[in-house]
Amino acid sequence: TKSERERGGKRVVAMDEVRRRLAAGQYAQAARACEDVEIDGAEASQNEALWEVQIACKLIAGDTDGARFSWKRMPDRFRQGPQVQALGKVLETLWRRDFAAFHREKGGHPWCQTLQPLMAALSQEVHAQIEAEIQQAYSTIALQDLCALLAVSREEGLQVVERNGWTLDGDFAHVVEAPAQAEAALPENAIHSLTKYVVHLDSSK
């Protein structure tokens, strides 16, 4: 019928919008485009990848709450797939702000072709978030702890120190707070979770 053809045409346009936003690295917009397809109903009920992309894009955009709501709306039958299961574990680590667990879950699963670039982008965003929180929460941090927080090698940790304009004194990095962040107070729970993890690292040595 005409109405079915019109709905089909709208679904094609919406899916094209998802692909276009992904190609441009516009993850928040891509997540919204996925929701537009979801509202239509038919495509969302059949397309597991649509939900994977929606959740991953919301995580990249820093919308952990939105990602959890998307997970709850997802049809039950999709939650049993290995990619969705792995993505759910990554979501849970970021909800708990457990960066060590995030690195384990993200790196311990063979992601499909659709999710590989999204997980790489998510990893970059999480690294940037950790670095920003370190800049506000610490004046000095052990290089070993920095590398553990970011799950990087010593050489990569030294690159982080150099890129942020921090100074190195032996095995400790003296952190310089970024001017743009100086007026933006870090949430207390963020400082607490980061400090708790660094204390755990120190006690494990």
Side-chain angles (χ1 to χ4, degrees), residues 3-202:
S3 61
E4 289 175 337
R5 289 196 299 271
E6 289 176 347
R7 286 198 300 270
K10 289 180 180 179
R11 285 199 296 272
V12 171
V13 170
M15 289 302 297
D16 286 345
E17 178 70 1
V18 172
R19 297 185 187 96
R20 186 171 71 84
R21 295 295 188 179
L22 287 175
Q26 298 172 330
Y27 300 109
Q29 295 90 331
R32 285 196 292 271
C34 287
E35 289 179 335
D36 289 340
V37 180
E38 177 190 345
I39 290 171
D40 179 75
E43 184 76 24
S45 67
Q46 303 173 30
N47 194 336
E48 179 179 333
L50 184 74
W51 292 96
E52 296 169 355
V53 169
Q54 181 179 158
I55 292 171
C57 284
K58 287 185 176 181
L59 291 177
I60 296 169
D63 185 10
T64 310
D65 287 338
R68 292 187 84 217
F69 287 131
S70 295
W71 174 270
K72 292 177 181 179
R73 294 196 308 270
M74 183 192 305
D76 290 340
R77 67 180 181 279
F78 290 156
R79 294 198 185 115
Q80 305 308 313
Q83 295 291 307
V84 173
Q85 286 282 313
L87 189 59
K89 292 178 181 178
V90 169
L91 165 58
E92 184 63 25
T93 65
L94 292 179
W95 173 254
R96 298 197 316 266
R97 296 182 53 77
D98 187 341
F99 296 126
F102 164 77
H103 296 309
R104 288 196 303 271
E105 295 295 346
K106 182 261 175 185
H109 184 80
W111 300 102
C112 65
Q113 187 174 1
T114 299
L115 287 178
Q116 282 177 5
L118 296 179
M119 298 312 293
L122 177 58
S123 184
Q124 290 178 350
E125 288 299 319
V126 171
H127 277 205
Q129 178 186 351
I130 293 172
E131 290 177 32
E133 293 184 6
I134 288 172
Q135 285 182 308
Q136 291 199 46
Y138 288 89
S139 58
T140 302
I141 186 170
L143 182 60
Q144 182 176 346
D145 291 345
L146 173 65
C147 293
L149 277 169
L150 296 172
V152 297
S153 66
R154 178 182 175 86
E155 291 71 22
E156 291 170 320
L158 292 172
Q159 292 174 9
V160 170
V161 171
E162 181 179 0
R163 183 177 66 249
N164 285 289
W166 305 344
T167 58
L168 197 65
D169 182 8
D171 288 328
F172 289 86
H174 295 282
V175 178
V176 178
E177 186 175 3
Q181 297 170 335
E183 298 180 0
L186 194 65
E188 185 175 347
N189 66 326
I191 296 176
H192 175 73
S193 62
L194 193 64
T195 303
K196 182 179 179 181
Y197 181 54
V198 172
V199 169
H200 168 72
L201 291 173
D202 291 338

